[in-house]
Amino acid sequence: MKIIVCVKQVPDTSGKVAVNPDGTLDRASMQTITNPDDLNAVEAALKLKDETGCKVVVVTMGPPPAEGMLREILARGADEAVLVSAREFGGSDTYATSQILASAINRIGLEQDDVVMCGRQAIDGDTAQVGPQIAEKLHLPQVTYAAEIHKAGNAITVKRMLEDGYMTIKVKTPCLLTCIKELNEPRYMSVSGVFEAYSKPMEVFNYETLKDDPLIDPTTIGLKGSPTNILTSFTPPLKGAGVMLEGADKETCDKLAGLLAKKHII
């Protein structure tokens, strides 16, 4: 059994956000982090590794510097890493990204007992689309919003979070799960893990590596092949300080009414 975890390097949205003229994020000029939900998926995979001894493979699509993020995840305990990187893949939307990642998973190989895990969504887009789209293109059963995961034989039992409760689903492998932050608390890198990270296998899949897969169609990958395009991106203006009124007397109510009228709210 192996678990393939899809991860993404995303801009640290707590800092400055830069945008290119074409509306895409200027990732090269921003600090980056590992997408938080993806770390929950990594931790879920590592816990299953602790229980079953399975292999954990992490996959990301991004520029060459994303190798550093993969090394950090190897230091947390993953066994192998794959970096999917090519100019032809740049600017892909969720549809094109899922095509490419599904192709990479095909290249790695998906067997009867295997599981694919993704974070629920990435903080740079908040679409929650890539995981389900990968499952669709690989013809895998999927369970999203996983809050608990248990494996027994060739089946996975998942406690799936809903808006007002939970649903328990049993699914056979191979399957795809998307993980939420309530699932676990990601572990830190260990000192021994940091030393071992650079001796663990890491492959790079470029366009030449994947071009023979039927999913890799030049008309449906990259910025030009993406069916959705960003019209504009911008940093919203900072809001002004709020006004606090205390009291419930007529004078306070009249002052509140005056402020609302001045702003044409009433």
Side-chain angles (χ1 to χ4, degrees):
M1 172 189 174
K2 68 176 173 292
I3 302 175
I4 300 172
V5 187
C6 297
V7 298
K8 186 179 183 183
Q9 190 177 57
V10 295
D12 185 353
T13 53
S14 63
K16 182 181 177 182
V17 176
V19 181
N20 291 315
D22 62 3
T24 60
L25 290 174
D26 183 5
R27 298 175 186 273
S29 67
M30 292 185 286
Q31 295 294 320
T32 58
I33 59 172
T34 305
N35 184 57
D37 282 355
D38 296 348
L39 288 178
N40 295 112
V42 170
E43 179 61 25
L46 293 176
K47 284 188 173 182
L48 283 175
K49 176 186 174 181
D50 294 340
E51 295 172 9
T52 67
C54 66
K55 181 167 69 174
V56 175
V57 182
V58 287
V59 183
T60 192
M61 188 178 86
E67 178 185 340
M69 174 196 66
L70 291 175
R71 293 290 181 192
E72 290 182 4
I73 297 174
L74 290 173
R76 292 173 187 261
D79 300 293
E80 298 177 11
V82 175
L83 172 61
V84 182
S85 185
R87 288 189 178 275
E88 291 87 349
F89 302 153
S92 294
D93 68 354
T94 61
Y95 179 87
T97 297
S98 65
Q99 295 266 112
I100 298 162
L101 287 175
S103 171
I105 292 169
N106 278 333
R107 177 81 178 186
I108 294 166
L110 202 59
E111 299 176 2
Q112 188 61 39
D113 292 333
D114 294 349
V115 180
V116 180
M117 291 187 180
C118 304
R120 175 193 56 159
Q121 63 186 38
I123 60 173
D124 58 350
D126 284 345
T127 63
Q129 293 173 350
V130 172
Q133 287 175 342
I134 291 173
E136 182 70 17
K137 286 159 188 176
L138 293 176
H139 308 290
L140 295 176
Q142 61 176 292
V143 183
T144 56
Y145 293 81
E148 282 184 18
I149 299 171
H150 302 284
K151 187 174 190 305
N154 67 338
I156 302 280
T157 302
V158 180
K159 183 179 179 182
R160 181 176 185 263
M161 179 178 279
L162 304 175
E163 186 174 355
D164 56 355
Y166 293 92
M167 173 191 296
T168 301
I169 300 175
K170 190 172 184 179
V171 59
K172 287 187 177 181
T173 58
C175 62
L176 183 143
L177 312 177
T178 71
C179 305
I180 59 177
K181 65 180 181 180
E182 290 82 2
L183 175 58
N184 53 45
E185 186 68 32
R187 68 189 68 184
Y188 292 102
M189 295 179 285
S190 65
V191 174
S192 61
V194 172
F195 282 106
E196 293 169 1
Y198 285 88
S199 62
K200 292 180 177 179
M202 179 179 294
E203 288 189 77
V204 177
F205 291 175
N206 56 24
Y207 179 76
E208 291 298 317
T209 310
L210 302 177
K211 68 178 182 179
D212 293 331
D213 190 296
L215 290 169
I216 301 300
D217 180 346
T219 63
T220 59
I221 61 170
L223 183 61
K224 291 183 179 179
S226 296
T228 55
N229 291 293
I230 299 169
L231 178 62
T232 182
S233 295
F234 59 92
T235 302
L238 295 175
K239 294 182 179 180
V243 178
M244 180 72 73
L245 300 178
E246 295 184 1
D249 52 45
K250 185 176 185 303
E251 183 181 351
T252 304
C253 293
D254 289 342
K255 189 173 183 181
L256 173 61
L259 289 171
L260 294 176
K262 187 177 180 180
K263 293 179 178 295
H264 306 289
I265 297 174
I266 59 173

